[in-house]
Amino acid sequence: MKVSLIVAVYKDIEALSLIVESLKTQTYKNFELIVAEDNNGDSMREFVNTVNDIEVIHTSQDDIGIRKSRSQNNAILASTGEYLVFIDGDCIPYSTFIENHALLAKQGQVLAGRRVNLGPKYSEKIRAGKMNTLKLEKQFIWRLPSLLKDGQESHLESGLLLNPKGSIFQKWIYPKSPKILGCNFSCFKKDLIEINGFDEAYGESALPDDTDIEWRFKAYGLTIRSCKFAANQFHLYHSRTYRDNIFDDFETMYSRQSQGLYKAQKGLDTH
């Protein structure tokens, strides 16, 4: 099964270069990288052109505000894989990331994973090339004390790696129905097409790529399953930004939800 890894990026070429290096160590080889750029920058284009040993597609659009959902829809339409995995441009996958998404993929379901929120010191070391994420993945357990000391946020437990075929994972993790995080989830391409992709009608809101698409997947009839502890990734530290219109967005979402309008109002069919 061919997998399309869709990475939502803006201008952080440094982080994207780290993602590319991690993809060269993936245990699963039948995949393509789609750089979904919410911008149209020359430097990003030049960098993508230097990527080798990986099948890569680059989509871009004019920079006229935060339009992540439109950028992701661009990537869906450009993808050639039957299965899609979504991450953010500041998240670096474990070497088994794509393999375990593909291994756990089943018709009628969506996989939802998590991320390890690294602190500023570890993130700086990785960005500076002083620490390799593959090495950090392998040494995660014994580095836990220093990771905890550096951590600004929780969820370090998300770095623990379990065998997705093992009884512990199959009995206690996989059956759970977690909330979708836009930085780590996967589904069959045909299912996203059926719900018309991400809803661009929310504008610059953060809702379309997790909270909104989650209820629309469920309304369409899909089940959310957990790939936590199997499809792991590191999230590079950065300060957070907050948007003011979030309550209006929720009202819009709840209105559409009450009417069962699970197909995106402004989605793939507008491209």
Side-chain angles (χ1 to χ4, degrees):
M1 179 175 71
K2 185 173 183 179
V3 174
S4 297
L5 178 70
I6 296 176
V7 184
V9 302
Y10 182 49
K11 294 182 178 181
D12 194 346
I13 296 173
E14 183 177 73
L16 179 59
S17 69
L18 295 169
I19 293 172
V20 168
E21 288 307 306
S22 77
L23 295 181
K24 293 180 180 180
T25 66
Q26 289 295 304
T27 53
Y28 192 88
K29 304 301 182 183
N30 188 15
F31 73 92
E32 65 184 1
L33 164 65
I34 304 186
V35 178
E37 183 187 7
D38 186 10
N39 188 29
N40 190 19
D42 292 337
S43 53
M44 183 68 72
R45 189 177 304 106
E46 290 167 5
F47 170 76
V48 172
N49 288 337
T50 68
V51 175
N52 51 42
D53 301 326
I54 296 175
E55 183 181 349
V56 59
I57 296 172
H58 178 207
T59 62
S60 61
Q61 60 191 19
D62 292 337
D63 185 5
I64 52 173
I66 300 171
R67 296 191 297 159
K68 180 182 179 183
S69 54
R70 186 179 192 279
S71 180
Q72 289 174 308
N73 281 341
N74 291 336
I76 293 168
L77 293 171
S79 66
T80 64
E82 66 174 290
Y83 197 72
L84 309 181
V85 181
F86 294 87
I87 69 171
D88 285 346
D90 53 8
C91 293
I92 305 173
Y94 274 34
S95 59
T96 53
F97 183 80
I98 298 177
E99 178 182 4
N100 288 343
H101 267 288
L103 177 68
L104 295 168
K106 290 182 180 177
Q107 297 289 344
Q109 73 174 24
V110 177
L111 291 173
R114 291 298 181 262
R115 66 189 191 185
V116 179
N117 291 320
L118 297 176
K121 291 182 180 179
Y122 265 92
S123 298
E124 184 179 346
K125 285 181 181 180
I126 291 169
R127 283 185 178 272
K130 297 178 181 179
M131 177 168 289
N132 182 283
T133 53
L134 180 60
K135 185 177 181 180
L136 181 57
E137 169 192 334
K138 304 300 182 184
Q139 299 177 346
F140 185 80
I141 298 294
W142 75 264
R143 285 187 178 272
L144 263 177
S146 59
L147 286 163
L148 285 165
K149 185 177 179 180
D150 182 42
Q152 302 283 317
E153 303 174 17
S154 56
H155 308 304
L156 280 176
E157 79 285 349
S158 297
L160 300 174
L161 186 62
L162 297 177
N163 179 358
K165 295 181 180 179
S167 59
I168 294 176
F169 181 86
Q170 288 292 327
K171 183 176 181 179
W172 300 106
I173 307 301
Y174 175 72
K176 293 183 178 180
S177 184
K179 292 186 178 301
I180 288 177
L181 292 184
C183 65
N184 187 357
F185 80 92
S186 63
C187 63
F188 283 93
K189 181 177 178 178
K190 64 180 180 61
D191 291 328
L192 260 178
I193 291 174
E194 285 297 323
I195 66 171
N196 200 22
F198 296 94
D199 199 335
E200 303 166 26
Y202 289 100
E204 296 191 357
S205 172
L207 285 183
D209 70 332
D210 44 41
T211 308
D212 179 69
I213 206 162
E214 178 184 316
W215 84 259
R216 294 197 290 119
F217 274 139
K218 289 179 178 178
Y220 172 57
L222 303 182
T223 302
I224 313 296
R225 287 287 179 253
S226 177
C227 59
K228 184 179 182 180
F229 305 123
N232 298 352
Q233 59 179 354
F234 294 114
H235 174 247
L236 298 172
Y237 175 82
H238 59 81
S239 58
R240 292 184 176 274
T241 57
Y242 298 92
R243 300 170 194 168
D244 297 330
N245 62 341
I246 192 72
F247 295 110
D248 291 338
D249 296 332
F250 270 109
E251 286 185 8
T252 300
M253 186 186 75
Y254 291 145
S255 174
R256 293 184 60 78
Q257 193 171 2
S258 66
Q259 300 174 69
L261 302 174
Y262 63 81
K263 291 199 172 186
Q265 179 180 350
K266 183 180 180 183
L268 295 172
D269 62 357
T270 63
H271 287 239

mmCIF file of all heavy atoms in Angstrom, residues 232-251:
data_model
loop_
_atom_site.group_PDB
_atom_site.id
_atom_site.type_symbol
_atom_site.label_atom_id
_atom_site.label_comp_id
_atom_site.label_asym_id
_atom_site.label_seq_id
_atom_site.Cartn_x
_atom_site.Cartn_y
_atom_site.Cartn_z
ATOM 1 N N ASN A 232 4.921 7.273 16.688
ATOM 2 C CA ASN A 232 5.420 8.351 17.554
ATOM 3 C C ASN A 232 6.172 9.419 16.777
ATOM 4 O O ASN A 232 6.722 9.155 15.698
ATOM 5 C CB ASN A 232 6.346 7.780 18.633
ATOM 6 C CG ASN A 232 5.643 6.809 19.561
ATOM 7 O OD1 ASN A 232 4.428 6.656 19.506
ATOM 8 N ND2 ASN A 232 6.407 6.151 20.416
ATOM 9 N N GLN A 233 6.237 10.611 17.358
ATOM 10 C CA GLN A 233 6.985 11.706 16.742
ATOM 11 C C GLN A 233 7.415 12.712 17.803
ATOM 12 O O GLN A 233 6.805 12.817 18.867
ATOM 13 C CB GLN A 233 6.134 12.399 15.671
ATOM 14 C CG GLN A 233 4.838 12.983 16.196
ATOM 15 C CD GLN A 233 4.022 13.684 15.114
ATOM 16 O OE1 GLN A 233 4.445 13.839 13.979
ATOM 17 N NE2 GLN A 233 2.838 14.138 15.480
ATOM 18 N N PHE A 234 8.469 13.452 17.473
ATOM 19 C CA PHE A 234 8.953 14.528 18.329
ATOM 20 C C PHE A 234 8.435 15.870 17.814
ATOM 21 O O PHE A 234 8.483 16.132 16.606
ATOM 22 C CB PHE A 234 10.488 14.575 18.339
ATOM 23 C CG PHE A 234 11.138 13.378 18.957
ATOM 24 C CD1 PHE A 234 11.907 12.517 18.176
ATOM 25 C CD2 PHE A 234 11.006 13.110 20.308
ATOM 26 C CE1 PHE A 234 12.523 11.411 18.742
ATOM 27 C CE2 PHE A 234 11.618 12.003 20.879
ATOM 28 C CZ PHE A 234 12.377 11.149 20.097
ATOM 29 N N HIS A 235 7.954 16.702 18.729
ATOM 30 C CA HIS A 235 7.508 18.049 18.377
ATOM 31 C C HIS A 235 8.522 19.061 18.875
ATOM 32 O O HIS A 235 8.837 19.105 20.068
ATOM 33 C CB HIS A 235 6.133 18.342 18.989
ATOM 34 C CG HIS A 235 5.670 19.744 18.802
ATOM 35 N ND1 HIS A 235 5.516 20.630 19.852
ATOM 36 C CD2 HIS A 235 5.351 20.435 17.681
ATOM 37 C CE1 HIS A 235 5.104 21.790 19.381
ATOM 38 N NE2 HIS A 235 5.000 21.696 18.080
ATOM 39 N N LEU A 236 9.048 19.874 17.973
ATOM 40 C CA LEU A 236 10.029 20.890 18.335
ATOM 41 C C LEU A 236 9.364 22.044 19.075
ATOM 42 O O LEU A 236 8.298 22.520 18.670
ATOM 43 C CB LEU A 236 10.746 21.413 17.082
ATOM 44 C CG LEU A 236 11.545 20.369 16.292
ATOM 45 C CD1 LEU A 236 12.035 20.955 14.980
ATOM 46 C CD2 LEU A 236 12.707 19.838 17.120
ATOM 47 N N TYR A 237 10.003 22.482 20.124
ATOM 48 C CA TYR A 237 9.435 23.533 20.970
ATOM 49 C C TYR A 237 9.322 24.862 20.222
ATOM 50 O O TYR A 237 10.193 25.256 19.447
ATOM 51 C CB TYR A 237 10.309 23.727 22.207
ATOM 52 C CG TYR A 237 9.865 24.877 23.084
ATOM 53 C CD1 TYR A 237 8.829 24.721 23.996
ATOM 54 C CD2 TYR A 237 10.464 26.130 22.966
ATOM 55 C CE1 TYR A 237 8.407 25.771 24.780
ATOM 56 C CE2 TYR A 237 10.044 27.190 23.748
ATOM 57 C CZ TYR A 237 9.016 27.012 24.654
ATOM 58 O OH TYR A 237 8.593 28.061 25.416
ATOM 59 N N HIS A 238 8.220 25.575 20.496
ATOM 60 C CA HIS A 238 8.047 26.957 20.023
ATOM 61 C C HIS A 238 6.970 27.608 20.883
ATOM 62 O O HIS A 238 6.161 26.929 21.527
ATOM 63 C CB HIS A 238 7.644 27.002 18.545
ATOM 64 C CG HIS A 238 6.361 26.283 18.233
ATOM 65 N ND1 HIS A 238 5.118 26.841 18.430
ATOM 66 C CD2 HIS A 238 6.130 25.036 17.745
ATOM 67 C CE1 HIS A 238 4.183 25.984 18.077
ATOM 68 N NE2 HIS A 238 4.757 24.875 17.666
ATOM 69 N N SER A 239 6.957 28.924 20.902
ATOM 70 C CA SER A 239 5.920 29.636 21.645
ATOM 71 C C SER A 239 4.591 29.469 20.927
ATOM 72 O O SER A 239 4.536 29.304 19.707
ATOM 73 C CB SER A 239 6.268 31.125 21.764
ATOM 74 O OG SER A 239 6.422 31.696 20.482
ATOM 75 N N ARG A 240 3.522 29.487 21.684
ATOM 76 C CA ARG A 240 2.193 29.269 21.114
ATOM 77 C C ARG A 240 1.529 30.582 20.742
ATOM 78 O O ARG A 240 1.742 31.608 21.377
ATOM 79 C CB ARG A 240 1.303 28.505 22.096
ATOM 80 C CG ARG A 240 1.740 27.065 22.314
ATOM 81 C CD ARG A 240 0.758 26.342 23.206
ATOM 82 N NE ARG A 240 1.098 24.937 23.370
ATOM 83 C CZ ARG A 240 0.727 23.973 22.539
ATOM 84 N NH1 ARG A 240 -0.001 24.271 21.484
ATOM 85 N NH2 ARG A 240 1.066 22.730 22.753
ATOM 86 N N THR A 241 0.681 30.506 19.712
ATOM 87 C CA THR A 241 -0.139 31.649 19.324
ATOM 88 C C THR A 241 -1.604 31.272 19.482
ATOM 89 O O THR A 241 -1.978 30.104 19.316
ATOM 90 C CB THR A 241 0.129 32.066 17.864
ATOM 91 O OG1 THR A 241 -0.103 30.943 17.003
ATOM 92 C CG2 THR A 241 1.571 32.532 17.691
ATOM 93 N N TYR A 242 -2.427 32.239 19.798
ATOM 94 C CA TYR A 242 -3.856 31.991 20.005
ATOM 95 C C TYR A 242 -4.672 32.920 19.111
ATOM 96 O O TYR A 242 -4.297 34.060 18.856
ATOM 97 C CB TYR A 242 -4.229 32.207 21.479
ATOM 98 C CG TYR A 242 -3.509 31.268 22.410
ATOM 99 C CD1 TYR A 242 -2.297 31.634 23.000
ATOM 100 C CD2 TYR A 242 -4.021 30.008 22.687
ATOM 101 C CE1 TYR A 242 -1.612 30.756 23.842
ATOM 102 C CE2 TYR A 242 -3.358 29.125 23.524
ATOM 103 C CZ TYR A 242 -2.157 29.509 24.100
ATOM 104 O OH TYR A 242 -1.485 28.638 24.922
ATOM 105 N N ARG A 243 -5.802 32.417 18.645
ATOM 106 C CA ARG A 243 -6.653 33.193 17.739
ATOM 107 C C ARG A 243 -7.937 33.598 18.447
ATOM 108 O O ARG A 243 -8.465 32.865 19.268
ATOM 109 C CB ARG A 243 -6.946 32.355 16.482
ATOM 110 C CG ARG A 243 -5.654 31.992 15.758
ATOM 111 C CD ARG A 243 -5.873 30.964 14.662
ATOM 112 N NE ARG A 243 -4.583 30.428 14.238
ATOM 113 C CZ ARG A 243 -4.444 29.371 13.466
ATOM 114 N NH1 ARG A 243 -5.505 28.732 13.010
ATOM 115 N NH2 ARG A 243 -3.243 28.936 13.135
ATOM 116 N N ASP A 244 -8.444 34.772 18.087
ATOM 117 C CA ASP A 244 -9.538 35.392 18.843
ATOM 118 C C ASP A 244 -10.931 34.894 18.467
ATOM 119 O O ASP A 244 -11.864 35.004 19.253
ATOM 120 C CB ASP A 244 -9.508 36.921 18.653
ATOM 121 C CG ASP A 244 -8.226 37.540 19.204
ATOM 122 O OD1 ASP A 244 -7.675 36.966 20.170
ATOM 123 O OD2 ASP A 244 -7.795 38.564 18.671
ATOM 124 N N ASN A 245 -11.097 34.325 17.284
ATOM 125 C CA ASN A 245 -12.446 34.025 16.786
ATOM 126 C C ASN A 245 -12.884 32.591 17.051
ATOM 127 O O ASN A 245 -13.827 32.100 16.432
ATOM 128 C CB ASN A 245 -12.508 34.305 15.276
ATOM 129 C CG ASN A 245 -11.549 33.422 14.496
ATOM 130 O OD1 ASN A 245 -10.616 32.858 15.053
ATOM 131 N ND2 ASN A 245 -11.779 33.326 13.194
ATOM 132 N N ILE A 246 -12.241 31.914 17.974
ATOM 133 C CA ILE A 246 -12.470 30.493 18.157
ATOM 134 C C ILE A 246 -13.904 30.178 18.590
ATOM 135 O O ILE A 246 -14.479 29.178 18.177
ATOM 136 C CB ILE A 246 -11.454 29.908 19.167
ATOM 137 C CG1 ILE A 246 -11.502 28.375 19.149
ATOM 138 C CG2 ILE A 246 -11.672 30.463 20.553
ATOM 139 C CD1 ILE A 246 -10.914 27.760 17.934
ATOM 140 N N PHE A 247 -14.521 31.047 19.420
ATOM 141 C CA PHE A 247 -15.881 30.766 19.888
ATOM 142 C C PHE A 247 -16.893 30.861 18.753
ATOM 143 O O PHE A 247 -17.829 30.066 18.675
ATOM 144 C CB PHE A 247 -16.247 31.717 21.028
ATOM 145 C CG PHE A 247 -15.403 31.503 22.261
ATOM 146 C CD1 PHE A 247 -14.457 32.437 22.645
ATOM 147 C CD2 PHE A 247 -15.534 30.347 23.022
ATOM 148 C CE1 PHE A 247 -13.669 32.238 23.766
ATOM 149 C CE2 PHE A 247 -14.751 30.132 24.142
ATOM 150 C CZ PHE A 247 -13.806 31.086 24.521
ATOM 151 N N ASP A 248 -16.718 31.823 17.863
ATOM 152 C CA ASP A 248 -17.589 31.921 16.688
ATOM 153 C C ASP A 248 -17.447 30.674 15.815
ATOM 154 O O ASP A 248 -18.432 30.169 15.255
ATOM 155 C CB ASP A 248 -17.245 33.162 15.869
ATOM 156 C CG ASP A 248 -17.608 34.451 16.597
ATOM 157 O OD1 ASP A 248 -18.467 34.403 17.501
ATOM 158 O OD2 ASP A 248 -17.018 35.494 16.267
ATOM 159 N N ASP A 249 -16.224 30.187 15.704
ATOM 160 C CA ASP A 249 -15.984 28.990 14.893
ATOM 161 C C ASP A 249 -16.706 27.778 15.475
ATOM 162 O O ASP A 249 -17.273 26.972 14.732
ATOM 163 C CB ASP A 249 -14.478 28.701 14.822
ATOM 164 C CG ASP A 249 -13.705 29.794 14.106
ATOM 165 O OD1 ASP A 249 -14.308 30.454 13.248
ATOM 166 O OD2 ASP A 249 -12.517 29.984 14.411
ATOM 167 N N PHE A 250 -16.680 27.658 16.791
ATOM 168 C CA PHE A 250 -17.372 26.537 17.430
ATOM 169 C C PHE A 250 -18.880 26.626 17.196
ATOM 170 O O PHE A 250 -19.544 25.602 16.972
ATOM 171 C CB PHE A 250 -17.072 26.509 18.931
ATOM 172 C CG PHE A 250 -15.871 25.692 19.287
ATOM 173 C CD1 PHE A 250 -14.699 26.297 19.711
ATOM 174 C CD2 PHE A 250 -15.907 24.304 19.194
ATOM 175 C CE1 PHE A 250 -13.581 25.538 20.043
ATOM 176 C CE2 PHE A 250 -14.795 23.534 19.527
ATOM 177 C CZ PHE A 250 -13.622 24.155 19.954
ATOM 178 N N GLU A 251 -19.434 27.827 17.252
ATOM 179 C CA GLU A 251 -20.867 27.982 17.001
ATOM 180 C C GLU A 251 -21.223 27.517 15.593
ATOM 181 O O GLU A 251 -22.234 26.846 15.384
ATOM 182 C CB GLU A 251 -21.281 29.445 17.206
ATOM 183 C CG GLU A 251 -21.328 29.879 18.669
ATOM 184 C CD GLU A 251 -21.871 31.295 18.828
ATOM 185 O OE1 GLU A 251 -22.347 31.859 17.818
ATOM 186 O OE2 GLU A 251 -21.828 31.816 19.948
#
